[in-house]
Amino acid sequence: MKLNVHPRRRRALAAAAGVAVLLAACGAGGDEGAETSPDAAEGGAGQEIRFLTHWGPDQVRELEAAAEAFNEEEPDITVTVQAVPFANLLSTLRTQAGSPGGPTVASIYDAWLPELVRDGVAAPAPDDVAQDVTANWPENVVSASSSDGQVYGFPNEIDLYALNYNTRLFEEAGLDGPPTTFDELASHAMALTDEAAGQQGFGVITNWASGAVHPFLSLAASNGGYLLDDQGRAALTDAKVVAVAQLYERMLADGSINPDMSAANANTTGPYLDNFANGKTGMIIMANWWQASLKEAMGDAYADVATAPVPVGPDGTQSSSISYSWLTMVNGNADDAAQEAAWKFLTYLNGPDSGEEGSSAMGDILIGMGILPSRQSDLDAHEDTLSDPFLQTYVDQLPNATPFPTVIGGDAASQAVQRHVEALVFGRESAQQAMDAATAEVDAALGG
């Protein structure tokens, strides 16, 4: 298991409550036009369960098809799908979870889980489900679907980060391949920078918490650094983390990072993406889900995009990346019969016999969206698709991924890190000042 916290703190953190970071651009983003589906069956005896998701109409139809196939095996259980926009997902779950007609099953971001466990909204998985999850998903993914050692749902998609770079710009700069160390990252960025052409060597992201924080902490993880220490306090003043801030400071000073090219908009697209897509950014650390956005934005020029592991710092031993995932959970306020039916459906939906050629039905749906599934047998079943050169780096890095920690006050803590990374990027604070200030605010947010 790996968390972006000191190893001795990992078990204690599992009992804490969650971070809410901006994921509106996640590849499984909701659609304002998605509607609640009609009941799978009208009238008659039996158990109905309601599945709350943020997926769009196409994915809802695929989920409904899986529910219909399940109903053929379990005619006494019907599944109704309710889809809402991502921005309304958590609030809908919270407001409806206690009502008789509320959702029985919900798709959630893993960082919300501890809060939902604390509030009794998330039901613990039965022993057979917990054993299934533990046996068939990577340990670091299982940990993100657990709280205090108890599994609370089936992991689904997983997202992590890698270095994305433009091979055409590399060739023009005389660079043979991607950087593997911090020093190489800085020297490559300088070689790729052409101020007269409006071209920056390395892109950073601002105006979006995940975009600013996750790449920064991925570099920290690749240098042996942690967000939190073994006491649950901010570790941002540790030399291994300060080294990342100093790396940013170095690239800002030599002009290979241009802050004016960094902004994200409310949809997590905007200038940072446009500049990479238009060949104005040589390298950027970004998540796997943006592949579809790159293809759409770049057209034929997408052939110039390649990926590589996050460069390793001088104190690091291997590349690592912040990761986050999604899971399906069962409403702890539902009655016992509804919960039993819900776990039965989720076991089917995530099982290797419900999809095509050894994949789960959930794995097929995720792959159809261009999202990495997290069940090992789904990864194996879709090996051909996942061997796409862009995605292969992410797949290869899954075992070393560092799940973003979930802690009480984590949303405020994440925003604190964002504020001071951005203060560094825009020259308002030095590397040390940014980490000192972020540390104080993170500790305050976490009650330290």
Side-chain angles (χ1 to χ4, degrees):
M1 181 192 307
K2 293 184 66 181
L3 291 177
N4 191 40
V5 296
H6 192 282
R8 295 194 297 274
R9 181 61 178 164
R10 290 172 186 158
R11 290 185 181 178
L13 287 179
V19 172
V21 295
L22 178 63
L23 290 177
C26 178
D31 191 305
E32 294 282 352
E35 297 179 355
T36 302
S37 72
D39 291 350
E42 295 183 1
Q47 179 67 56
E48 180 182 0
I49 59 176
R50 301 180 66 84
F51 194 125
L52 177 66
T53 181
H54 65 301
W55 287 346
D58 290 344
Q59 290 73 48
V60 166
R61 282 189 287 271
E62 292 183 58
L63 182 57
E64 288 172 338
E68 290 172 5
F70 170 74
N71 183 248
E72 292 179 5
E73 296 186 11
E74 299 284 347
D76 291 334
I77 303 174
T78 59
V79 181
T80 299
V81 181
Q82 177 186 5
V84 297
F86 169 81
N88 298 341
L89 181 60
L90 182 59
S91 61
T92 300
L93 175 59
R94 284 195 171 284
T95 56
Q96 296 184 5
S99 66
T104 325
V105 173
S107 174
I108 65 164
Y109 171 46
D110 60 18
W112 299 339
L113 177 63
E115 255 188 30
L116 296 174
V117 169
R118 181 196 63 191
D119 297 341
V121 178
D127 289 345
D128 59 334
V129 171
Q131 291 167 7
D132 183 11
V133 170
T134 302
N136 292 295
W137 274 263
E139 185 179 5
N140 53 2
V141 177
V142 175
S143 71
S145 298
S146 305
S147 183
D148 199 20
Q150 169 67 55
V151 173
Y152 279 87
F154 280 94
N156 302 140
E157 73 173 87
I158 186 166
D159 298 277
L160 63 160
Y161 289 77
L163 185 77
N164 287 217
Y165 63 99
N166 187 308
T167 58
R168 177 183 61 81
L169 297 181
F170 267 55
E171 183 177 351
E172 292 173 357
L175 298 172
D176 294 331
T180 60
T181 67
F182 281 14
D183 282 344
E184 288 181 357
L185 179 63
S187 62
H188 279 44
M190 190 68 257
L192 290 162
T193 298
D194 184 344
E195 186 175 354
Q199 180 178 307
Q200 65 175 343
F202 182 73
V204 297
I205 305 170
T206 59
N207 201 41
W208 168 31
S210 296
V213 174
H214 287 182
F216 182 90
L217 290 179
S218 292
L219 285 164
S222 295
N223 195 37
Y226 299 95
L227 174 60
L228 305 177
D229 66 16
D230 61 339
Q231 302 300 313
R233 297 176 64 86
L236 298 170
T237 55
D238 185 281
K240 296 175 181 178
V241 183
V242 173
V244 180
Q246 291 170 336
L247 177 65
Y248 275 37
E249 193 171 49
R250 173 181 172 184
M251 291 189 285
L252 286 159
D254 66 23
S256 54
I257 293 176
N258 183 346
D260 294 335
M261 301 171 72
S262 66
N265 62 23
N267 294 318
T268 64
T269 54
Y272 85 91
L273 186 153
D274 296 339
N275 284 309
F276 186 84
N278 293 329
K280 297 299 183 181
T281 297
M283 301 179 289
I284 193 168
I285 294 173
M286 190 49 188
N288 50 281
W289 56 256
W290 86 326
Q291 183 188 33
S293 298
L294 289 181
K295 287 182 175 179
E296 181 179 359
M298 297 182 75
D300 291 343
Y302 173 77
D304 296 330
V305 177
T307 57
V310 175
V312 179
D315 293 313
T317 59
Q318 65 181 3
S319 176
S320 186
S321 159
I322 293 297
S323 68
Y324 58 89
S325 57
W326 286 73
L327 67 144
T328 42
M329 51 149 275
V330 171
N331 183 358
N333 293 318
D335 62 40
D336 290 346
Q339 289 191 38
E340 181 179 357
W343 288 118
K344 187 174 292 188
F345 172 62
L346 290 180
T347 299
Y348 168 85
L349 182 67
N350 293 278
D353 299 325
S354 59
E356 299 291 332
E357 299 181 356
S359 172
S360 69
M362 177 62 78
D364 287 343
I365 294 171
L366 294 174
I367 286 291
M369 291 187 283
I371 298 296
L372 296 182
S374 55
R375 184 181 174 114
Q376 185 58 54
S377 58
D378 288 339
L379 293 171
D380 294 340
H382 294 282
E383 183 177 5
D384 288 347
T385 299
L386 295 173
S387 64
D388 168 275
F390 182 96
L391 293 176
Q392 187 65 58
T393 299
Y394 295 94
V395 175
D396 290 345
Q397 290 299 303
L398 278 171
N400 299 326
T402 299
F404 195 84
T406 55
V407 293
I408 295 173
D411 185 36
S414 181
Q415 292 177 33
V417 177
Q418 176 195 1
R419 278 193 298 273
H420 293 289
V421 167
E422 291 181 355
L424 169 63
V425 167
F426 288 105
R428 298 191 296 270
E429 294 175 350
S430 69
Q432 190 65 57
Q433 288 171 337
M435 294 301 96
D436 287 345
T439 294
E441 290 187 25
V442 167
D443 284 341
L446 301 180

